[in-house]
Amino acid sequence: MDKQSRHAAIKHIISHRLVGTQEDLRKALKSAGFGITQATLSRDLKDLGVARVNSPEGPKYVIHVESEERRLQSFIGLEIEQVDANESLVVVKTLPGRAQGVAEIIDSLHHPAILGTIAGDNTILVTPTSTKRNKEVMKLLQGLMMKKQVA
Amino acid sequence: MDKQSRHAAIKHIISHRLVGTQEDLRKALKSAGFGITQATLSRDLKDLGVARVNSPEGPKYVIHVESEERRLQSFIGLEIEQVDANESLVVVKTLPGRAQGVAEIIDSLHHPAILGTIAGDNTILVTPTSTKRNKEVMKLLQGLMMKKQVA
DNA sequence: CGCGGACATGTATAATTATACAAAAAAATG
DNA sequence: CATTTTTTTGTATAATTATACATGTCCGCG
């Protein structure tokens, strides 16, 4: 069997359809004329550096691009480490040195429940317009932090 | 236990070191003060959309960014503050210090109506391929600005 | 206050993936 | 060409991950 052709087929299949398990992929390969066992497929995926991702639509295999990792620090959801609140303020902990930048983004939301922010190095104090809206602000900011993917 | 803190710790750990199995990650979390079982960790990784990659150095967990272009647009909208134009240029105002980054994103669109960009601190000059396409470029960039998708 | 619902977690185990070992196939060598 | 070495593959199973089920916690409501 031609290993290169098989590798090309693997890349084609996972680029064009949602494939979540090796068994699914093995069957798709078989349909494409490449009959192999799970063991061989596992080795192929390793050779190809394929990634298995937990996506909103379930697990899926994707071609992994290294450079994607390097951009992760640009995104607010990954820069916010923790969101807490007391009765009158919401406190956001960020990666070191990112408080200012994250605070600016929070300000730019111009959210009606947010009065203002004060940022240090890795801590931001977010003031709600009313203590009654504290929870609302907190949920908003937690939503930012939890944003993992564009669904 | 505080799930948010734990998620932040997970993201921090896998961003800063090579972690290849859930058991390794579980131990790292335990060292960081988060004692959980493999089951809970599996759920966390699913929640976070983490990917497991076969890399040259062995398997590793990485923060997965689904699509670079789509993800960039999720946030660019928060960073563009204003879009204006005269007869020959479109001017984009950004958050302070973000002009370079936003300009890169605009460049990455490879839009046929955009010739190039020049970025300062919070201002980008966008040159259309023709003055006749000024309005088109302006609408495009205003469209980007309007994509404020949070939570 | 008690209750119900939502959420989170652990236990046990099913599902999925990786790999040791052996054999076969392909490539290299004299 | 025959032989040796390297690569590839399958089988069986170990390793790893995902999930069904049960339990505990927290919160809001009457």
Side-chain angles (χ1 to χ4, degrees):
Chain A
M1 180 178 295
D2 183 6
K3 187 170 169 182
Q4 283 196 3
S5 300
R6 197 172 71 232
H7 279 192
I10 289 169
K11 287 191 282 189
H12 181 83
I13 292 167
I14 65 177
S15 296
H16 289 86
R17 49 191 284 199
L18 197 155
V19 179
T21 65
Q22 288 182 0
E23 184 57 21
D24 287 343
L25 183 49
R26 195 189 65 78
K27 285 174 182 170
L29 279 167
K30 190 176 172 73
S31 296
F34 299 92
I36 56 169
T37 62
Q38 178 272 323
T40 300
L41 180 51
S42 180
R43 293 185 191 108
D44 281 351
L45 295 175
K46 180 175 180 177
D47 291 344
L48 289 168
V50 165
R52 188 164 185 254
V53 184
N54 285 300
S55 74
E57 312 90 51
K60 68 179 177 181
Y61 284 100
V62 300
I63 306 293
H64 181 67
V65 181
E66 281 287 338
S67 64
E68 286 180 352
E69 296 177 40
R70 292 201 293 272
R71 302 195 72 92
L72 66 88
Q73 295 297 332
S74 302
F75 304 110
I76 188 169
L78 301 166
E79 293 179 306
I80 301 182
E81 291 196 328
Q82 188 170 341
V83 181
D84 291 305
N86 63 15
E87 299 83 11
S88 54
L89 288 175
V90 179
V91 179
V92 178
K93 289 280 189 179
T94 67
L95 294 176
R98 289 300 303 148
Q100 302 273 2
V102 172
E104 284 171 355
I105 294 171
I106 293 170
D107 285 339
S108 72
L109 299 177
H110 299 303
H111 197 278
I114 295 177
L115 188 58
T117 62
I118 300 176
D121 182 70
N122 72 335
T123 304
I124 306 165
L125 305 183
V126 184
T127 316
T129 50
S130 156
T131 54
K132 287 179 189 148
R133 306 188 78 169
N134 228 29
K135 181 165 284 187
E136 179 184 350
V137 172
M138 185 167 164
K139 283 186 191 289
L140 170 73
L141 298 175
Q142 282 176 333
L144 282 189
M145 179 173 75
M146 292 297 183
K147 192 168 182 65
K148 354 181 217 311
Q149 292 175 330
V150 177
Chain B
M1 180 179 294
D2 184 5
K3 187 171 170 183
Q4 291 179 40
S5 300
R6 197 173 70 230
H7 280 194
I10 289 168
K11 287 189 280 188
H12 182 81
I13 291 167
I14 65 179
S15 297
H16 290 86
R17 51 191 281 196
L18 198 157
V19 179
T21 64
Q22 289 181 0
E23 184 57 19
D24 287 342
L25 183 49
R26 194 190 65 78
K27 284 176 182 169
L29 279 166
K30 189 175 173 71
S31 295
F34 300 92
I36 55 169
T37 61
Q38 178 271 321
T40 300
L41 179 53
S42 181
R43 293 183 189 109
D44 281 351
L45 295 176
K46 181 174 177 177
D47 290 343
L48 290 169
V50 165
R52 189 167 186 250
V53 185
N54 285 301
S55 75
E57 314 87 53
K60 69 176 177 182
Y61 285 99
V62 300
I63 306 290
H64 180 68
V65 181
E66 184 164 325
S67 166
E68 182 167 309
E69 184 172 324
R70 290 171 64 200
R71 180 126 187 113
L72 292 173
Q73 287 177 345
S74 294
F75 291 91
I76 191 173
L78 301 176
E79 299 182 291
I80 300 181
E81 293 200 318
Q82 191 171 340
V83 181
D84 291 307
N86 65 12
E87 299 86 6
S88 53
L89 289 174
V90 180
V91 180
V92 177
K93 289 280 189 178
T94 69
L95 294 177
R98 287 302 300 152
Q100 302 274 2
V102 171
E104 283 177 17
I105 295 166
I106 294 171
D107 285 340
S108 74
L109 299 176
H110 298 303
H111 196 278
I114 294 177
L115 187 60
T117 61
I118 300 175
D121 182 66
N122 71 336
T123 305
I124 306 167
L125 305 183
V126 184
T127 316
T129 50
S130 157
T131 53
K132 289 177 189 151
R133 307 187 78 169
N134 230 28
K135 183 166 287 187
E136 179 185 348
V137 171
M138 187 168 163
K139 283 190 192 291
L140 169 73
L141 298 175
Q142 283 176 333
L144 285 188
M145 181 173 70
M146 293 301 178
K147 292 186 177 179
K148 303 194 176 193
Q149 300 179 357
V150 178

